[in-house]
Amino acid sequence: MTDNVTKEKRREIMQSVRSQSALENLVSRELWKRGIRFRKNVKSLFGKPDIAIKKYKIVVFIDSCFWHACETHGRTPKSNEEFWNKKLDRNKNRDKEVQNYYLEKGWHIKRIWEHDIKNDFEQTLDELVQFIENIRNSS
């Protein structure tokens, strides 16, 4: 099945997609309220982490179920399946590459799934804050 909008319209739609998701902003605001200081979408770090605390070598990635092919909630669009399968496979492989990079460099990496934030925001944030605090206290 082909796309039901013109190439120009599809381009316009894709250009309107923001680099920061509402989930990232929600998590960021709550971390800031809890007194944790960080940088967002740090271009100088590999994989451009959503949240980074360089002083403690902490990076956090907030993965959407669609773009990171969640085993539980991810789905492949029915149109242009070959393209989407390749795209989502590349995303999963890049996630593994980024994960390995930071672990090899001695960084602390945390990945948070979209569904965890949506299912229990408070618990997910508490776990993230605890993760950060444990590293800060052991440094």
Side-chain angles (χ1 to χ4, degrees), residues 1-7 10 77-84:
M1 179 178 231
T2 59
D3 201 351
N4 58 359
V5 296
T6 65
K7 281 189 173 191
R10 176 63 57 209
K78 296 300 176 203
S79 65
N80 205 0
E81 281 187 73
E82 184 180 339
F83 166 82
W84 284 109

Side-chain angles (χ1 to χ4, degrees), residues 19 21 23-24 27 41 47-51 59-71 73-74 88 91-99 109-118 124 128:
S19 67
S21 73
L23 290 174
E24 291 173 32
V27 170
N41 299 355
K48 195 175 159 190
D50 299 313
I51 295 169
V59 289
V60 178
F61 292 89
I62 300 170
D63 295 341
S64 76
C65 291
F66 175 76
W67 289 109
H68 296 269
C70 169
E71 298 292 329
H73 304 103
L88 296 175
N91 289 353
K92 287 194 294 190
N93 290 335
R94 188 178 56 246
D95 290 345
K96 289 176 191 170
E97 182 183 346
V98 168
Q99 183 92 7
I109 184 169
K110 177 90 169 159
R111 289 195 171 275
I112 300 172
W113 281 104
E114 169 188 12
H115 62 259
D116 290 332
I117 294 169
K118 288 182 175 179
T124 302
L128 178 56

Side-chain angles (χ1 to χ4, degrees), residues 35-76:
I36 295 176
R37 301 300 177 245
F38 55 88
R39 295 286 175 254
K40 288 172 55 173
N41 299 355
V42 181
K43 293 177 185 174
S44 63
L45 291 176
F46 184 63
K48 195 175 159 190
D50 299 313
I51 295 169
I53 306 172
K54 288 183 181 181
K55 179 178 180 179
Y56 299 107
K57 291 182 147 187
I58 297 171
V59 289
V60 178
F61 292 89
I62 300 170
D63 295 341
S64 76
C65 291
F66 175 76
W67 289 109
H68 296 269
C70 169
E71 298 292 329
T72 309
H73 304 103
R75 61 173 183 75
T76 305

Side-chain angles (χ1 to χ4, degrees), residues 30 34 116-117 119-128:
E30 188 60 31
R34 295 185 187 198
D116 290 332
I117 294 169
N119 289 343
D120 194 341
F121 180 72
E122 286 302 316
Q123 180 182 345
T124 302
L125 256 292
D126 290 344
E127 290 173 5
L128 178 56

